[in-house]
Amino acid sequence: MTRLLPFPLISLCLLAMWLWLSQSLSLGPILLGSLFALMGGWLLRLLQSDADRVRNPSAIIQLAGLVLIDVIRSNIAVGSIILGGQRNNITSGFVDIPLDLRSRQGLAVLACIITSTPGTLWVNFTRETGVLQLHVLDLVDESEWVERIKGRYERRLLEIFE
Amino acid sequence: MTHAAELPAWAAWCVALLLLLGAGITLIGSLGMLRLDGFYQRAHAPTLGTTLGTAFICGASMLCFSLLASRPLLHEVLILGFVTITTPVTLMLLVRAALFRDTAEGHIDDIVRRAKQTPGDEELR
Amino acid sequence: MSSVVLTWSVVIAQMMLAVAMACAAYRMLVGPRAQDRVLGLDTLYVNAMLMMLTVGIRTGSDVYFEAALVIALLGFVGTVALAKFLMRGEVIE
């Protein structure tokens, strides 16, 4: 069972998504979708993923809401920098942030969050030292960004993935 | 646009609003390609189009086709998910390539020094 | 009334996206450095994908969705390949 279906929940989600996208419940799409769901599970096992060990669903919802608000807010902020006249006054630069997060899935999600909020870019992560290098468009106070990444996102990602 | 008349009035207004918002945000982001200085600042510009711009236009497309077919069609979620997952990869690789090239040519020093600068060595520059 | 609004907003959205594509193309053609050109190409791909979705809404045909998906895929692969080339290929122009 575990060899055939290493990640039952993910496989089930894959099958449901396949059926939804193909908009039918006949035999053909179910067979093809099951095949893809099985193969998805095997692929994840090949990648030695620990994706199934996600806990704390309330933190996921909390984080999703937070990210949605931040995406909208930073879109407005970057838009006003581009359209506004003060664009030559902004200083942008690199910020080094020491992270406690080591889970690969958690880091991948953090990369998506940081890039999806305009104004911050993920540049580099050194696994040995755990230092994340960011590029920030409107860099006023470096410690504020360290506080923001660690307090807003990393704390919740640690709850979810570790 | 013969099918536009088939949409209910509220849906037509919603699709129009979502389209204009999405296209406007994408336009602002691309204007940043012209107006911002330096590569590292400009690298922030496309993220407006890949986040809210794509989200709004995909939402408009989903709403329009779901109502035309009178069943929920969510294919655009694929595009939204794909773009959200791939943008970090492309931008991270590009910025790292740019950093690598700048370091090799020796004019990264002032960029990094400005970032690494602590309040104490302000007068050194 | 509402269908007129929709028709015009699709036209305006397409014009805005066309201007956005022009900005990206300008950055791609003018540079000044190779990474700026690749960034311009990436933005151009994203804008073209959104343009395809808008054309799809305009014509009411879902063929354009697939075109948009293909453009998104090609844009990702192309930009990653070019970024890799900037790292590994020539170092100094």
Side-chain angles (χ1 to χ4, degrees), chain A residues 56-71 101 105-106 109-110 112-114 117 148-161:
Chain A
N56 208 338
S58 73
I60 297 179
I61 296 168
Q62 216 180 11
L63 184 68
L66 200 67
V67 169
L68 192 67
I69 295 169
D70 282 358
V71 166
L101 190 67
Q105 278 77 29
V109 174
L110 187 63
C112 284
I113 293 174
I114 285 175
T117 50
R148 184 167 163 187
I149 301 294
K150 286 190 80 73
R152 275 175 94 81
Y153 307 132
E154 196 201 4
R155 188 167 56 78
R156 291 180 174 82
L157 284 172
L158 281 173
E159 282 173 23
I160 296 170
F161 287 102

PDB file of all heavy atoms in Angstrom, chain A residues 56-71 101 105-106 109-110 112-114 117 148-161:
ATOM      1  N   ASN A  56      -0.844  21.501  11.179  1.00  0.00           N
ATOM      2  CA  ASN A  56      -1.372  22.803  11.559  1.00  0.00           C
ATOM      3  C   ASN A  56      -2.095  23.528  10.422  1.00  0.00           C
ATOM      4  O   ASN A  56      -1.619  24.532   9.897  1.00  0.00           O
ATOM      5  CB  ASN A  56      -0.226  23.680  12.067  1.00  0.00           C
ATOM      6  CG  ASN A  56      -0.710  24.704  13.054  1.00  0.00           C
ATOM      7  OD1 ASN A  56      -1.903  25.027  13.041  1.00  0.00           O
ATOM      8  ND2 ASN A  56       0.164  25.202  13.874  1.00  0.00           N
ATOM      9  N   PRO A  57      -3.239  22.965   9.982  1.00  0.00           N
ATOM     10  CA  PRO A  57      -3.962  23.592   8.865  1.00  0.00           C
ATOM     11  C   PRO A  57      -4.420  25.017   9.154  1.00  0.00           C
ATOM     12  O   PRO A  57      -4.521  25.826   8.225  1.00  0.00           O
ATOM     13  CB  PRO A  57      -5.157  22.663   8.646  1.00  0.00           C
ATOM     14  CG  PRO A  57      -5.171  21.703   9.755  1.00  0.00           C
ATOM     15  CD  PRO A  57      -3.867  21.720  10.440  1.00  0.00           C
ATOM     16  N   SER A  58      -4.656  25.346  10.424  1.00  0.00           N
ATOM     17  CA  SER A  58      -5.107  26.714  10.710  1.00  0.00           C
ATOM     18  C   SER A  58      -3.996  27.711  10.384  1.00  0.00           C
ATOM     19  O   SER A  58      -4.259  28.823   9.914  1.00  0.00           O
ATOM     20  CB  SER A  58      -5.534  26.830  12.158  1.00  0.00           C
ATOM     21  OG  SER A  58      -4.415  26.814  13.003  1.00  0.00           O
ATOM     22  N   ALA A  59      -2.727  27.287  10.597  1.00  0.00           N
ATOM     23  CA  ALA A  59      -1.612  28.181  10.260  1.00  0.00           C
ATOM     24  C   ALA A  59      -1.525  28.384   8.754  1.00  0.00           C
ATOM     25  O   ALA A  59      -1.141  29.467   8.297  1.00  0.00           O
ATOM     26  CB  ALA A  59      -0.306  27.617  10.793  1.00  0.00           C
ATOM     27  N   ILE A  60      -1.904  27.339   7.966  1.00  0.00           N
ATOM     28  CA  ILE A  60      -1.856  27.475   6.510  1.00  0.00           C
ATOM     29  C   ILE A  60      -2.850  28.546   6.061  1.00  0.00           C
ATOM     30  O   ILE A  60      -2.528  29.426   5.256  1.00  0.00           O
ATOM     31  CB  ILE A  60      -2.182  26.129   5.822  1.00  0.00           C
ATOM     32  CG1 ILE A  60      -1.114  25.102   6.187  1.00  0.00           C
ATOM     33  CG2 ILE A  60      -2.257  26.294   4.318  1.00  0.00           C
ATOM     34  CD1 ILE A  60      -1.355  23.751   5.574  1.00  0.00           C
ATOM     35  N   ILE A  61      -4.078  28.469   6.613  1.00  0.00           N
ATOM     36  CA  ILE A  61      -5.107  29.443   6.227  1.00  0.00           C
ATOM     37  C   ILE A  61      -4.679  30.854   6.640  1.00  0.00           C
ATOM     38  O   ILE A  61      -4.796  31.809   5.871  1.00  0.00           O
ATOM     39  CB  ILE A  61      -6.456  29.050   6.862  1.00  0.00           C
ATOM     40  CG1 ILE A  61      -6.901  27.703   6.288  1.00  0.00           C
ATOM     41  CG2 ILE A  61      -7.509  30.099   6.598  1.00  0.00           C
ATOM     42  CD1 ILE A  61      -8.051  27.094   7.032  1.00  0.00           C
ATOM     43  N   GLN A  62      -4.134  30.938   7.874  1.00  0.00           N
ATOM     44  CA  GLN A  62      -3.658  32.234   8.379  1.00  0.00           C
ATOM     45  C   GLN A  62      -2.586  32.819   7.451  1.00  0.00           C
ATOM     46  O   GLN A  62      -2.641  33.982   7.060  1.00  0.00           O
ATOM     47  CB  GLN A  62      -3.063  31.996   9.754  1.00  0.00           C
ATOM     48  CG  GLN A  62      -3.295  33.100  10.738  1.00  0.00           C
ATOM     49  CD  GLN A  62      -2.662  32.746  12.076  1.00  0.00           C
ATOM     50  OE1 GLN A  62      -1.905  31.785  12.174  1.00  0.00           O
ATOM     51  NE2 GLN A  62      -2.956  33.528  13.072  1.00  0.00           N
ATOM     52  N   LEU A  63      -1.632  31.937   7.079  1.00  0.00           N
ATOM     53  CA  LEU A  63      -0.540  32.393   6.221  1.00  0.00           C
ATOM     54  C   LEU A  63      -1.059  32.813   4.859  1.00  0.00           C
ATOM     55  O   LEU A  63      -0.636  33.840   4.309  1.00  0.00           O
ATOM     56  CB  LEU A  63       0.485  31.265   6.067  1.00  0.00           C
ATOM     57  CG  LEU A  63       1.741  31.598   5.276  1.00  0.00           C
ATOM     58  CD1 LEU A  63       2.575  32.597   6.028  1.00  0.00           C
ATOM     59  CD2 LEU A  63       2.550  30.359   5.000  1.00  0.00           C
ATOM     60  N   ALA A  64      -2.021  32.029   4.303  1.00  0.00           N
ATOM     61  CA  ALA A  64      -2.556  32.363   2.978  1.00  0.00           C
ATOM     62  C   ALA A  64      -3.232  33.730   2.997  1.00  0.00           C
ATOM     63  O   ALA A  64      -3.028  34.545   2.091  1.00  0.00           O
ATOM     64  CB  ALA A  64      -3.537  31.282   2.526  1.00  0.00           C
ATOM     65  N   GLY A  65      -4.017  33.992   4.055  1.00  0.00           N
ATOM     66  CA  GLY A  65      -4.670  35.294   4.146  1.00  0.00           C
ATOM     67  C   GLY A  65      -3.669  36.424   4.256  1.00  0.00           C
ATOM     68  O   GLY A  65      -3.786  37.455   3.582  1.00  0.00           O
ATOM     69  N   LEU A  66      -2.646  36.189   5.084  1.00  0.00           N
ATOM     70  CA  LEU A  66      -1.603  37.199   5.283  1.00  0.00           C
ATOM     71  C   LEU A  66      -0.882  37.516   3.973  1.00  0.00           C
ATOM     72  O   LEU A  66      -0.660  38.684   3.617  1.00  0.00           O
ATOM     73  CB  LEU A  66      -0.613  36.648   6.309  1.00  0.00           C
ATOM     74  CG  LEU A  66       0.291  37.607   7.030  1.00  0.00           C
ATOM     75  CD1 LEU A  66      -0.550  38.479   7.916  1.00  0.00           C
ATOM     76  CD2 LEU A  66       1.291  36.826   7.864  1.00  0.00           C
ATOM     77  N   VAL A  67      -0.559  36.436   3.216  1.00  0.00           N
ATOM     78  CA  VAL A  67       0.164  36.622   1.960  1.00  0.00           C
ATOM     79  C   VAL A  67      -0.707  37.377   0.958  1.00  0.00           C
ATOM     80  O   VAL A  67      -0.226  38.274   0.261  1.00  0.00           O
ATOM     81  CB  VAL A  67       0.607  35.254   1.393  1.00  0.00           C
ATOM     82  CG1 VAL A  67       1.111  35.394  -0.021  1.00  0.00           C
ATOM     83  CG2 VAL A  67       1.680  34.664   2.263  1.00  0.00           C
ATOM     84  N   LEU A  68      -2.004  37.054   0.928  1.00  0.00           N
ATOM     85  CA  LEU A  68      -2.909  37.739   0.002  1.00  0.00           C
ATOM     86  C   LEU A  68      -2.926  39.240   0.282  1.00  0.00           C
ATOM     87  O   LEU A  68      -2.794  40.064  -0.635  1.00  0.00           O
ATOM     88  CB  LEU A  68      -4.312  37.144   0.142  1.00  0.00           C
ATOM     89  CG  LEU A  68      -5.306  37.544  -0.938  1.00  0.00           C
ATOM     90  CD1 LEU A  68      -4.867  36.959  -2.255  1.00  0.00           C
ATOM     91  CD2 LEU A  68      -6.692  37.064  -0.585  1.00  0.00           C
ATOM     92  N   ILE A  69      -3.045  39.587   1.567  1.00  0.00           N
ATOM     93  CA  ILE A  69      -3.049  41.014   1.932  1.00  0.00           C
ATOM     94  C   ILE A  69      -1.721  41.657   1.536  1.00  0.00           C
ATOM     95  O   ILE A  69      -1.687  42.751   0.963  1.00  0.00           O
ATOM     96  CB  ILE A  69      -3.308  41.161   3.444  1.00  0.00           C
ATOM     97  CG1 ILE A  69      -4.720  40.661   3.773  1.00  0.00           C
ATOM     98  CG2 ILE A  69      -3.145  42.600   3.896  1.00  0.00           C
ATOM     99  CD1 ILE A  69      -4.954  40.525   5.250  1.00  0.00           C
ATOM    100  N   ASP A  70      -0.607  40.955   1.832  1.00  0.00           N
ATOM    101  CA  ASP A  70       0.703  41.529   1.543  1.00  0.00           C
ATOM    102  C   ASP A  70       0.935  41.702   0.051  1.00  0.00           C
ATOM    103  O   ASP A  70       1.566  42.669  -0.381  1.00  0.00           O
ATOM    104  CB  ASP A  70       1.806  40.642   2.135  1.00  0.00           C
ATOM    105  CG  ASP A  70       1.937  40.862   3.619  1.00  0.00           C
ATOM    106  OD1 ASP A  70       1.204  41.709   4.141  1.00  0.00           O
ATOM    107  OD2 ASP A  70       2.768  40.186   4.257  1.00  0.00           O
ATOM    108  N   VAL A  71       0.426  40.734  -0.752  1.00  0.00           N
ATOM    109  CA  VAL A  71       0.591  40.844  -2.210  1.00  0.00           C
ATOM    110  C   VAL A  71      -0.104  42.110  -2.707  1.00  0.00           C
ATOM    111  O   VAL A  71       0.466  42.911  -3.453  1.00  0.00           O
ATOM    112  CB  VAL A  71       0.032  39.583  -2.911  1.00  0.00           C
ATOM    113  CG1 VAL A  71      -0.116  39.831  -4.401  1.00  0.00           C
ATOM    114  CG2 VAL A  71       0.929  38.405  -2.681  1.00  0.00           C
ATOM    115  N   LEU A 101      14.570  28.217   9.377  1.00  0.00           N
ATOM    116  CA  LEU A 101      13.825  27.259   8.557  1.00  0.00           C
ATOM    117  C   LEU A 101      14.803  26.435   7.733  1.00  0.00           C
ATOM    118  O   LEU A 101      15.672  26.980   7.070  1.00  0.00           O
ATOM    119  CB  LEU A 101      12.878  28.036   7.645  1.00  0.00           C
ATOM    120  CG  LEU A 101      11.838  27.280   6.851  1.00  0.00           C
ATOM    121  CD1 LEU A 101      10.814  26.681   7.778  1.00  0.00           C
ATOM    122  CD2 LEU A 101      11.159  28.193   5.877  1.00  0.00           C
ATOM    123  N   GLN A 105      10.557  22.097   1.595  1.00  0.00           N
ATOM    124  CA  GLN A 105       9.241  22.578   1.160  1.00  0.00           C
ATOM    125  C   GLN A 105       8.969  23.967   1.724  1.00  0.00           C
ATOM    126  O   GLN A 105       8.459  24.838   1.035  1.00  0.00           O
ATOM    127  CB  GLN A 105       8.144  21.616   1.627  1.00  0.00           C
ATOM    128  CG  GLN A 105       7.963  20.424   0.751  1.00  0.00           C
ATOM    129  CD  GLN A 105       9.053  19.405   0.982  1.00  0.00           C
ATOM    130  OE1 GLN A 105       9.586  19.321   2.076  1.00  0.00           O
ATOM    131  NE2 GLN A 105       9.408  18.652  -0.037  1.00  0.00           N
ATOM    132  N   GLY A 106       9.346  24.142   3.009  1.00  0.00           N
ATOM    133  CA  GLY A 106       9.126  25.445   3.631  1.00  0.00           C
ATOM    134  C   GLY A 106       9.892  26.539   2.915  1.00  0.00           C
ATOM    135  O   GLY A 106       9.356  27.625   2.662  1.00  0.00           O
ATOM    136  N   VAL A 109       8.205  27.359  -0.383  1.00  0.00           N
ATOM    137  CA  VAL A 109       7.026  28.200  -0.197  1.00  0.00           C
ATOM    138  C   VAL A 109       7.453  29.630   0.131  1.00  0.00           C
ATOM    139  O   VAL A 109       6.880  30.599  -0.382  1.00  0.00           O
ATOM    140  CB  VAL A 109       6.121  27.618   0.913  1.00  0.00           C
ATOM    141  CG1 VAL A 109       4.980  28.567   1.213  1.00  0.00           C
ATOM    142  CG2 VAL A 109       5.566  26.287   0.485  1.00  0.00           C
ATOM    143  N   LEU A 110       8.490  29.771   0.966  1.00  0.00           N
ATOM    144  CA  LEU A 110       8.979  31.106   1.312  1.00  0.00           C
ATOM    145  C   LEU A 110       9.472  31.841   0.064  1.00  0.00           C
ATOM    146  O   LEU A 110       9.231  33.046  -0.101  1.00  0.00           O
ATOM    147  CB  LEU A 110      10.087  31.007   2.358  1.00  0.00           C
ATOM    148  CG  LEU A 110      10.573  32.324   2.936  1.00  0.00           C
ATOM    149  CD1 LEU A 110       9.460  33.018   3.680  1.00  0.00           C
ATOM    150  CD2 LEU A 110      11.748  32.122   3.862  1.00  0.00           C
ATOM    151  N   CYS A 112       8.382  31.422  -2.984  1.00  0.00           N
ATOM    152  CA  CYS A 112       7.207  31.854  -3.742  1.00  0.00           C
ATOM    153  C   CYS A 112       6.583  33.084  -3.100  1.00  0.00           C
ATOM    154  O   CYS A 112       6.202  34.028  -3.794  1.00  0.00           O
ATOM    155  CB  CYS A 112       6.170  30.731  -3.805  1.00  0.00           C
ATOM    156  SG  CYS A 112       6.582  29.444  -4.954  1.00  0.00           S
ATOM    157  N   ILE A 113       6.495  33.087  -1.759  1.00  0.00           N
ATOM    158  CA  ILE A 113       5.879  34.231  -1.078  1.00  0.00           C
ATOM    159  C   ILE A 113       6.687  35.490  -1.325  1.00  0.00           C
ATOM    160  O   ILE A 113       6.140  36.547  -1.667  1.00  0.00           O
ATOM    161  CB  ILE A 113       5.772  33.951   0.436  1.00  0.00           C
ATOM    162  CG1 ILE A 113       4.790  32.823   0.713  1.00  0.00           C
ATOM    163  CG2 ILE A 113       5.343  35.197   1.187  1.00  0.00           C
ATOM    164  CD1 ILE A 113       4.756  32.406   2.163  1.00  0.00           C
ATOM    165  N   ILE A 114       8.006  35.373  -1.158  1.00  0.00           N
ATOM    166  CA  ILE A 114       8.850  36.573  -1.257  1.00  0.00           C
ATOM    167  C   ILE A 114       8.831  37.139  -2.667  1.00  0.00           C
ATOM    168  O   ILE A 114       8.763  38.351  -2.867  1.00  0.00           O
ATOM    169  CB  ILE A 114      10.285  36.233  -0.793  1.00  0.00           C
ATOM    170  CG1 ILE A 114      10.288  36.128   0.725  1.00  0.00           C
ATOM    171  CG2 ILE A 114      11.270  37.276  -1.247  1.00  0.00           C
ATOM    172  CD1 ILE A 114      11.573  35.682   1.301  1.00  0.00           C
ATOM    173  N   THR A 117       5.394  38.867  -3.535  1.00  0.00           N
ATOM    174  CA  THR A 117       5.157  40.209  -3.021  1.00  0.00           C
ATOM    175  C   THR A 117       6.134  41.135  -3.725  1.00  0.00           C
ATOM    176  O   THR A 117       7.319  41.103  -3.429  1.00  0.00           O
ATOM    177  CB  THR A 117       5.372  40.271  -1.504  1.00  0.00           C
ATOM    178  OG1 THR A 117       6.623  39.670  -1.220  1.00  0.00           O
ATOM    179  CG2 THR A 117       4.299  39.556  -0.749  1.00  0.00           C
ATOM    180  N   ARG A 148      10.280  41.511   9.509  1.00  0.00           N
ATOM    181  CA  ARG A 148       9.088  41.187   8.740  1.00  0.00           C
ATOM    182  C   ARG A 148       9.124  39.755   8.207  1.00  0.00           C
ATOM    183  O   ARG A 148       8.155  39.012   8.321  1.00  0.00           O
ATOM    184  CB  ARG A 148       8.967  42.188   7.583  1.00  0.00           C
ATOM    185  CG  ARG A 148       7.717  41.979   6.794  1.00  0.00           C
ATOM    186  CD  ARG A 148       7.471  43.134   5.877  1.00  0.00           C
ATOM    187  NE  ARG A 148       6.524  42.731   4.860  1.00  0.00           N
ATOM    188  CZ  ARG A 148       6.202  43.474   3.827  1.00  0.00           C
ATOM    189  NH1 ARG A 148       6.743  44.653   3.690  1.00  0.00           N
ATOM    190  NH2 ARG A 148       5.349  43.042   2.935  1.00  0.00           N
ATOM    191  N   ILE A 149      10.268  39.386   7.601  1.00  0.00           N
ATOM    192  CA  ILE A 149      10.356  38.033   7.039  1.00  0.00           C
ATOM    193  C   ILE A 149      10.295  36.996   8.153  1.00  0.00           C
ATOM    194  O   ILE A 149       9.571  35.996   8.061  1.00  0.00           O
ATOM    195  CB  ILE A 149      11.671  37.866   6.241  1.00  0.00           C
ATOM    196  CG1 ILE A 149      11.746  38.887   5.101  1.00  0.00           C
ATOM    197  CG2 ILE A 149      11.779  36.454   5.681  1.00  0.00           C
ATOM    198  CD1 ILE A 149      10.725  38.708   4.036  1.00  0.00           C
ATOM    199  N   LYS A 150      11.053  37.227   9.230  1.00  0.00           N
ATOM    200  CA  LYS A 150      11.099  36.226  10.295  1.00  0.00           C
ATOM    201  C   LYS A 150       9.785  36.166  11.075  1.00  0.00           C
ATOM    202  O   LYS A 150       9.281  35.094  11.371  1.00  0.00           O
ATOM    203  CB  LYS A 150      12.261  36.538  11.265  1.00  0.00           C
ATOM    204  CG  LYS A 150      13.610  36.223  10.679  1.00  0.00           C
ATOM    205  CD  LYS A 150      14.692  36.298  11.721  1.00  0.00           C
ATOM    206  CE  LYS A 150      14.760  35.064  12.576  1.00  0.00           C
ATOM    207  NZ  LYS A 150      15.322  33.922  11.878  1.00  0.00           N
ATOM    208  N   GLY A 151       9.244  37.324  11.393  1.00  0.00           N
ATOM    209  CA  GLY A 151       8.061  37.336  12.247  1.00  0.00           C
ATOM    210  C   GLY A 151       6.785  36.980  11.503  1.00  0.00           C
ATOM    211  O   GLY A 151       5.951  36.243  12.008  1.00  0.00           O
ATOM    212  N   ARG A 152       6.657  37.497  10.281  1.00  0.00           N
ATOM    213  CA  ARG A 152       5.390  37.284   9.575  1.00  0.00           C
ATOM    214  C   ARG A 152       5.323  35.923   8.912  1.00  0.00           C
ATOM    215  O   ARG A 152       4.317  35.227   9.001  1.00  0.00           O
ATOM    216  CB  ARG A 152       5.197  38.373   8.509  1.00  0.00           C
ATOM    217  CG  ARG A 152       4.584  39.633   9.027  1.00  0.00           C
ATOM    218  CD  ARG A 152       4.559  40.673   7.944  1.00  0.00           C
ATOM    219  NE  ARG A 152       3.316  40.704   7.206  1.00  0.00           N
ATOM    220  CZ  ARG A 152       2.215  41.312   7.634  1.00  0.00           C
ATOM    221  NH1 ARG A 152       2.225  41.892   8.792  1.00  0.00           N
ATOM    222  NH2 ARG A 152       1.126  41.329   6.908  1.00  0.00           N
ATOM    223  N   TYR A 153       6.412  35.571   8.188  1.00  0.00           N
ATOM    224  CA  TYR A 153       6.321  34.357   7.375  1.00  0.00           C
ATOM    225  C   TYR A 153       7.017  33.167   8.014  1.00  0.00           C
ATOM    226  O   TYR A 153       6.466  32.080   8.065  1.00  0.00           O
ATOM    227  CB  TYR A 153       6.930  34.602   5.996  1.00  0.00           C
ATOM    228  CG  TYR A 153       6.370  35.798   5.294  1.00  0.00           C
ATOM    229  CD1 TYR A 153       7.198  36.733   4.712  1.00  0.00           C
ATOM    230  CD2 TYR A 153       5.000  35.977   5.216  1.00  0.00           C
ATOM    231  CE1 TYR A 153       6.685  37.822   4.065  1.00  0.00           C
ATOM    232  CE2 TYR A 153       4.480  37.066   4.572  1.00  0.00           C
ATOM    233  CZ  TYR A 153       5.328  37.991   3.992  1.00  0.00           C
ATOM    234  OH  TYR A 153       4.819  39.070   3.356  1.00  0.00           O
ATOM    235  N   GLU A 154       8.270  33.373   8.506  1.00  0.00           N
ATOM    236  CA  GLU A 154       9.052  32.203   8.907  1.00  0.00           C
ATOM    237  C   GLU A 154       8.439  31.517  10.119  1.00  0.00           C
ATOM    238  O   GLU A 154       8.428  30.294  10.202  1.00  0.00           O
ATOM    239  CB  GLU A 154      10.493  32.622   9.207  1.00  0.00           C
ATOM    240  CG  GLU A 154      11.417  31.426   9.253  1.00  0.00           C
ATOM    241  CD  GLU A 154      12.676  31.698  10.017  1.00  0.00           C
ATOM    242  OE1 GLU A 154      12.815  32.785  10.586  1.00  0.00           O
ATOM    243  OE2 GLU A 154      13.527  30.800  10.042  1.00  0.00           O
ATOM    244  N   ARG A 155       7.899  32.314  11.041  1.00  0.00           N
ATOM    245  CA  ARG A 155       7.321  31.727  12.251  1.00  0.00           C
ATOM    246  C   ARG A 155       6.184  30.767  11.878  1.00  0.00           C
ATOM    247  O   ARG A 155       6.098  29.644  12.372  1.00  0.00           O
ATOM    248  CB  ARG A 155       6.807  32.859  13.143  1.00  0.00           C
ATOM    249  CG  ARG A 155       6.357  32.439  14.511  1.00  0.00           C
ATOM    250  CD  ARG A 155       6.176  33.663  15.393  1.00  0.00           C
ATOM    251  NE  ARG A 155       5.248  34.653  14.837  1.00  0.00           N
ATOM    252  CZ  ARG A 155       3.931  34.537  14.876  1.00  0.00           C
ATOM    253  NH1 ARG A 155       3.388  33.491  15.434  1.00  0.00           N
ATOM    254  NH2 ARG A 155       3.158  35.468  14.365  1.00  0.00           N
ATOM    255  N   ARG A 156       5.327  31.211  10.952  1.00  0.00           N
ATOM    256  CA  ARG A 156       4.194  30.365  10.563  1.00  0.00           C
ATOM    257  C   ARG A 156       4.645  29.169   9.728  1.00  0.00           C
ATOM    258  O   ARG A 156       4.097  28.076   9.851  1.00  0.00           O
ATOM    259  CB  ARG A 156       3.171  31.201   9.803  1.00  0.00           C
ATOM    260  CG  ARG A 156       2.479  32.203  10.713  1.00  0.00           C
ATOM    261  CD  ARG A 156       1.469  33.030   9.991  1.00  0.00           C
ATOM    262  NE  ARG A 156       0.738  33.880  10.905  1.00  0.00           N
ATOM    263  CZ  ARG A 156       1.170  35.048  11.354  1.00  0.00           C
ATOM    264  NH1 ARG A 156       2.344  35.501  10.967  1.00  0.00           N
ATOM    265  NH2 ARG A 156       0.449  35.769  12.187  1.00  0.00           N
ATOM    266  N   LEU A 157       5.672  29.382   8.877  1.00  0.00           N
ATOM    267  CA  LEU A 157       6.170  28.257   8.086  1.00  0.00           C
ATOM    268  C   LEU A 157       6.799  27.204   8.987  1.00  0.00           C
ATOM    269  O   LEU A 157       6.686  26.000   8.725  1.00  0.00           O
ATOM    270  CB  LEU A 157       7.194  28.758   7.060  1.00  0.00           C
ATOM    271  CG  LEU A 157       6.589  29.455   5.855  1.00  0.00           C
ATOM    272  CD1 LEU A 157       7.669  30.087   5.018  1.00  0.00           C
ATOM    273  CD2 LEU A 157       5.818  28.460   5.008  1.00  0.00           C
ATOM    274  N   LEU A 158       7.460  27.641  10.072  1.00  0.00           N
ATOM    275  CA  LEU A 158       8.024  26.679  11.025  1.00  0.00           C
ATOM    276  C   LEU A 158       6.912  25.880  11.680  1.00  0.00           C
ATOM    277  O   LEU A 158       7.046  24.678  11.901  1.00  0.00           O
ATOM    278  CB  LEU A 158       8.841  27.419  12.087  1.00  0.00           C
ATOM    279  CG  LEU A 158      10.246  27.863  11.680  1.00  0.00           C
ATOM    280  CD1 LEU A 158      10.866  28.725  12.757  1.00  0.00           C
ATOM    281  CD2 LEU A 158      11.117  26.650  11.413  1.00  0.00           C
ATOM    282  N   GLU A 159       5.780  26.561  11.980  1.00  0.00           N
ATOM    283  CA  GLU A 159       4.648  25.841  12.566  1.00  0.00           C
ATOM    284  C   GLU A 159       4.111  24.801  11.594  1.00  0.00           C
ATOM    285  O   GLU A 159       3.694  23.720  11.993  1.00  0.00           O
ATOM    286  CB  GLU A 159       3.514  26.820  12.901  1.00  0.00           C
ATOM    287  CG  GLU A 159       3.726  27.622  14.164  1.00  0.00           C
ATOM    288  CD  GLU A 159       2.650  28.667  14.331  1.00  0.00           C
ATOM    289  OE1 GLU A 159       1.561  28.498  13.762  1.00  0.00           O
ATOM    290  OE2 GLU A 159       2.906  29.665  15.035  1.00  0.00           O
ATOM    291  N   ILE A 160       4.121  25.143  10.286  1.00  0.00           N
ATOM    292  CA  ILE A 160       3.509  24.239   9.315  1.00  0.00           C
ATOM    293  C   ILE A 160       4.421  23.066   8.989  1.00  0.00           C
ATOM    294  O   ILE A 160       3.992  21.919   8.960  1.00  0.00           O
ATOM    295  CB  ILE A 160       3.151  25.017   8.029  1.00  0.00           C
ATOM    296  CG1 ILE A 160       2.095  26.067   8.331  1.00  0.00           C
ATOM    297  CG2 ILE A 160       2.646  24.075   6.963  1.00  0.00           C
ATOM    298  CD1 ILE A 160       1.845  27.016   7.213  1.00  0.00           C
ATOM    299  N   PHE A 161       5.709  23.351   8.762  1.00  0.00           N
ATOM    300  CA  PHE A 161       6.563  22.315   8.183  1.00  0.00           C
ATOM    301  C   PHE A 161       7.478  21.626   9.185  1.00  0.00           C
ATOM    302  O   PHE A 161       8.066  20.606   8.849  1.00  0.00           O
ATOM    303  CB  PHE A 161       7.413  22.903   7.056  1.00  0.00           C
ATOM    304  CG  PHE A 161       6.626  23.199   5.817  1.00  0.00           C
ATOM    305  CD1 PHE A 161       6.228  24.487   5.512  1.00  0.00           C
ATOM    306  CD2 PHE A 161       6.268  22.175   4.972  1.00  0.00           C
ATOM    307  CE1 PHE A 161       5.492  24.743   4.382  1.00  0.00           C
ATOM    308  CE2 PHE A 161       5.528  22.435   3.839  1.00  0.00           C
ATOM    309  CZ  PHE A 161       5.138  23.709   3.541  1.00  0.00           C
TER     310      PHE A 161
END
